[in-house]
């Protein structure tokens, strides 16, 4: 009886509607997607090629020096960076590392550019928070592979759709932590700034954002890690880098090659994570 009642309701054409919507967006905004694909793709290629031209030893020394001074002249992170980056170079994966770093860097920058203002908007408006929170839930719970489909539809294959998919997947932590950080600012400080006649922008940039910096940086750290986690997934739509090596090894059942590329991703992840955490804690 209950099954008959459920069968009585016709199937909702969600899949067909989504495909029509995607096709419509692709056709309507093709004038926008094509320049983005061309110019942004050129920027990414230039960045990756520029990093590849720099002698690896120079990059390793620079990273080691940054790690040494960021950690208060301690050798731990600097030594790990030298050994880890040398190992990647030794395994012949240096160019792939530069491509991966380019993808992570640009997608993280875009995520922060989008995420921080949206987080500020959420902290200032309960209506905006009520609208944006379910969207963030959707973005974080939807399987990352699904984002590859509209990315390919809009931008074709290559590094640009990989950045687009990473942007959607990695932005929510920055938005959430920015909103949380500003809302946790002491009410007494906000009232004091109002009492001294601060404008809205002065209160935001001189009181709320500085006080919320540590929380916001924690969100940015998570965003960078999520962008890095998309490296292998983005390789499925043509994004170059270490992720492509992992995918190729998987397709050919080459355990050794996949393990080496995976180690490269782990090393990069640890270095980036320690850099962002150290830069945040150094001034707090």
């Amino acid at each position: 009886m209950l099954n008959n009642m459920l069968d009585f309701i016709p199937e909702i054409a969600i899949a067909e509607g989504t495909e029509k919507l995607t096709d419509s967006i692709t056709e309507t905004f093709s004038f926008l997607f094509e320049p983005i694909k061309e110019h942004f793709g050129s920027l990414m290629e230039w960045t990756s090629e520029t990093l590849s031209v720099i002698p690896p030893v120079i990059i390793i020394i620079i990273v080691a020096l940054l790690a040494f001074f960021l950690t208060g002249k301690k050798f731990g992170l600097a030594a790990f960076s030298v050994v880890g980056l040398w190992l990647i170079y030794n395994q012949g994966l240096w160019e792939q590392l530069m491509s991966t770093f380019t993808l992570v860097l640009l997608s993280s920058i875009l995520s922060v550019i989008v995420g921080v203002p949206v987080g500020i908007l959420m902290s200032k408006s309960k209506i905006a928070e009520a609208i944006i929170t379910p969207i963030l839930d959707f973005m974080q719970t939807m399987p990352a592979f699904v984002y590859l489909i509209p990315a390919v539809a809009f931008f074709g294959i290559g590094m640009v759709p990989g950045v687009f998919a990473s942007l959607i997947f990695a932005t929510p932590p920055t938005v959430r932590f920015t909103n949380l950080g500003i809302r946790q600012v002491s009410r007494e400080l906000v009232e004091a700034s109002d009492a001294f006649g601060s404008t809205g922008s002065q209160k935001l940039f001189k009181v709320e954002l500085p006080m919320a910096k540590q929380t916001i940086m924690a969100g940015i750290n998570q965003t960078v890690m999520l962008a890095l986690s998309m490296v292998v997934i983005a390789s499925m739509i043509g994004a170059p880098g270490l992720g492509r090596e992992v995918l190729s090894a998987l397709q050919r059942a080459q355990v050794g090659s996949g393990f080496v590329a995976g180690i490269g991703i782990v090393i990069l992840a640890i270095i980036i994570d320690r850099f962002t955490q150290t830069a945040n804690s150094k001034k707090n």
Side-chain angles (χ1 to χ4, degrees):
M1 181 66 179
L2 292 176
N3 289 336
N4 292 335
M5 292 177 62
L6 293 175
D7 292 337
F8 178 76
I9 303 174
E11 181 181 351
I12 302 174
I14 296 178
E16 292 79 0
T18 303
E19 291 180 2
K20 290 180 180 179
L21 177 62
T22 302
D23 293 339
S24 176
I25 293 175
T26 303
E27 294 176 3
T28 303
F29 295 98
S30 59
F31 71 93
L32 182 63
F33 294 146
E34 287 300 325
I36 291 176
K37 177 182 177 181
E38 179 180 352
H39 298 299
F40 191 65
S42 299
L43 172 63
M44 298 188 70
E45 290 179 3
W46 177 83
T47 303
S48 179
E49 290 173 358
T50 301
L51 291 173
S52 298
V53 168
I54 301 174
V57 65
I58 300 298
I59 294 180
I60 293 175
I61 291 173
I62 292 174
V63 173
L65 289 174
L66 287 174
F68 179 71
F69 287 107
L70 276 176
T71 56
K73 298 183 179 180
K74 296 179 181 178
F75 289 97
L77 181 58
F80 176 83
S81 299
V82 171
V83 174
L85 294 177
W86 171 83
L87 180 61
I88 295 174
Y89 174 77
N90 177 261
Q91 296 299 308
L93 296 173
W94 188 260
E95 290 187 7
Q96 292 86 335
L97 174 67
M98 294 299 101
S99 296
T100 298
F101 179 71
T102 300
L103 190 152
V104 173
L105 176 66
L106 294 181
S107 59
S108 298
I109 290 174
L110 290 175
S111 296
V112 172
I113 291 174
V114 173
V116 172
V118 174
I120 293 173
L121 175 63
M122 289 179 64
S123 70
K124 299 297 181 181
S125 171
K126 291 185 178 180
I127 296 176
E129 184 179 33
I131 295 173
I132 296 173
T133 298
I135 298 175
L136 296 177
D137 294 337
F138 177 86
M139 292 168 65
Q140 288 187 291
T141 54
M142 178 67 71
F145 292 95
V146 178
Y147 297 135
L148 302 182
I149 302 172
V152 172
F154 297 154
F155 301 106
I157 61 174
M159 193 177 286
V160 175
V163 171
F164 176 80
S166 300
L167 173 65
I168 298 176
F169 184 68
T171 299
T174 296
V175 178
R176 292 186 186 276
F177 278 73
T178 301
N179 175 37
L180 177 64
I182 294 177
R183 288 186 179 275
Q184 287 182 337
V185 173
S186 172
R187 184 56 51 190
E188 288 77 9
L189 288 175
V190 176
E191 292 175 353
S193 66
D194 290 333
F196 280 101
S198 300
T199 63
S201 59
Q202 289 175 330
K203 181 169 62 176
L204 175 65
F205 289 104
K206 294 184 178 182
V207 178
E208 293 174 327
L209 286 179
M211 294 300 298
K213 173 182 172 292
Q214 189 170 9
T215 303
I216 295 173
M217 285 299 298
I220 292 175
N221 174 265
Q222 293 301 307
T223 287
V224 175
M225 291 297 101
L226 287 176
L228 186 55
S229 72
M230 282 290 291
V231 166
V232 178
I233 298 175
S235 68
M236 298 179 65
I237 53 176
L242 294 171
R244 179 181 291 180
E245 298 297 319
V246 174
L247 181 63
S248 176
L250 174 63
Q251 293 171 337
R252 300 174 183 177
Q254 296 176 336
V255 179
S257 299
F259 182 71
V260 170
I263 288 178
I265 295 175
V266 171
I267 291 171
L268 180 61
I270 292 174
I271 292 175
I272 293 176
D273 179 63
R274 297 301 184 270
F275 264 64
T276 53
Q277 286 189 15
T278 304
N280 183 30
S281 61
K282 185 177 178 62
K283 298 180 180 180
N284 290 285

